[in-house]
């Protein structure tokens, strides 16, 4: 039995409903969550992702380059202030960058249940997240997919218009449609398959047990 969180992830910008409902363990990190969300959406996980907390102006990332850049900027400001004999002033409204592996999921999701999952820094696909703790412990493997519908937006298509164009071509027959289907085979995305998602999350659950 494990303490669990029910998580709903929804992609609102598509032409048809696309969402997933998950049960995830409380005892994990934001890095774990980012991986599970990518798997649940149907992505292969080769693109960068972030979890955004707008109310707290926070970007949660696994990108160490971004983290190091933020640290270097902060150190530069501190050095400039020290050279002038001044105190370092915080910039109002500045976004805080947090390394995902250092952030425990609970109680973070308790305090910030509504977040955004950003996948693919080029197209910037945004999934709305809503977290709710379960009142009772649950049995079975965690994380796991409860239910879901719809295929996630394709990666590298040039934003919403490109996404709509690809969808339109997929309904057609002919060389161009065949080329697009062949191209999609190599992209960072699987068409939504609940069994495939469940199997991948089961691997994640096994990895958690072996830590």
């Amino acid at each position: 039995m494990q303490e669990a969180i029910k998580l709903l992830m929804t992609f609102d910008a598509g032409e048809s409903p696309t969402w997933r409902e998950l049960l995830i363990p409380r005892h994990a990190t934001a890095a774990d969550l980012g991986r599970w969300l990518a798997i649940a959406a149907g992505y292969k996980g080769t693109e960068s992702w972030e979890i955004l907390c707008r109310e707290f102006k926070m970007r949660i990332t696994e990108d160490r380059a971004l983290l190091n850049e933020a640290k270097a900027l902060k150190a530069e400001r501190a050095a400039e202030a020290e050279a002038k004999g001044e105190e370092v002033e915080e910039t109002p409204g500045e976004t805080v960058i947090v390394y995902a592996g250092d952030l425990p999921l609970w109680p973070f999701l308790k305090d910030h249940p509504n977040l955004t999952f950003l996948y693919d820094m080029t197209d910037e696909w945004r999934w709305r997240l809503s977290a709710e703790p379960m009142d009772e412990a649950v049995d079975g493997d965690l994380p796991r997919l409860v239910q879901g519908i719809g295929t996630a937006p394709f990666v590298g298509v040039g934003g919403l218009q490109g996404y709509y164009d690809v969808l339109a071509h997929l309904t057609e027959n002919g060389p161009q449609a065949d080329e697009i289907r062949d191209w999609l085979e190599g992209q960072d995305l699987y068409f939504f398959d609940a069994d495939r998602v469940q199997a991948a999350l089961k691997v994640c659950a096994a990895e958690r047990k072996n830590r």
Side-chain angles (χ1 to χ4, degrees):
M1 303 291 284
Q2 301 181 65
E3 292 183 309
I5 302 166
K6 181 170 72 174
L7 186 75
L8 182 65
M9 57 184 299
T10 308
F11 180 70
D12 293 317
E15 293 184 327
S16 57
T18 304
W19 54 269
R20 311 283 186 265
E21 183 182 333
L22 306 171
L23 280 180
I24 62 173
R26 290 191 187 187
H27 302 294
T29 68
D32 295 319
L33 178 60
R35 182 186 177 196
W36 301 337
L37 293 173
I39 289 172
Y43 296 118
K44 298 177 183 178
T46 60
E47 298 292 328
S48 298
W49 57 264
E50 291 183 7
I51 297 172
L52 310 178
C53 179
R54 295 195 177 281
E55 60 184 283
F56 202 56
K57 292 191 176 297
M58 179 185 292
R59 294 172 63 185
I60 303 163
T61 180
E62 272 199 314
D63 187 344
R64 288 194 177 275
L66 179 63
L67 191 70
N68 291 336
E69 183 181 325
K71 288 181 178 179
L73 181 59
K74 188 173 183 178
E76 183 180 330
R77 289 177 181 169
E80 289 177 355
E82 183 178 0
K84 296 177 182 178
E86 301 172 349
E87 293 186 3
V88 179
E89 296 184 1
E90 295 292 332
T91 304
E94 184 175 16
T95 299
V96 177
I97 298 176
V98 177
Y99 182 62
D102 295 335
L103 182 64
L105 273 189
W106 199 257
F108 177 73
L109 285 181
K110 177 183 177 182
D111 297 333
H112 307 284
N114 300 305
L115 302 166
T116 298
F117 178 58
L118 177 66
Y119 191 84
D120 179 8
M121 296 301 111
T122 301
D123 288 329
E124 295 190 344
W125 299 127
R126 295 171 185 264
W127 294 72
R128 180 164 45 89
L129 305 180
S130 178
E132 177 185 346
M134 301 294 289
D135 293 331
E136 298 181 359
V138 301
D139 198 8
D141 291 329
L142 294 179
R144 69 174 180 256
L145 177 73
V146 177
Q147 55 186 333
I149 191 170
T151 293
F154 311 119
V155 169
V157 293
L160 273 178
Q161 188 55 56
Y163 173 50
Y164 294 147
D165 289 344
V166 169
L167 289 179
H169 286 308
L170 287 176
T171 64
E172 302 169 352
N173 292 315
Q176 187 172 19
D178 291 339
E179 287 178 9
I180 289 177
R181 292 187 183 95
D182 290 341
W183 175 77
L184 286 174
E185 286 293 323
Q187 296 306 297
D188 182 302
L189 178 75
Y190 295 104
F191 286 88
F192 180 61
D193 179 332
D195 291 337
R196 190 203 62 78
V197 170
Q198 203 71 278
L201 291 176
K202 195 175 185 67
V203 172
C204 295
E207 291 174 349
R208 288 186 64 246
K209 291 178 182 178
N210 293 330
R211 285 179 182 174

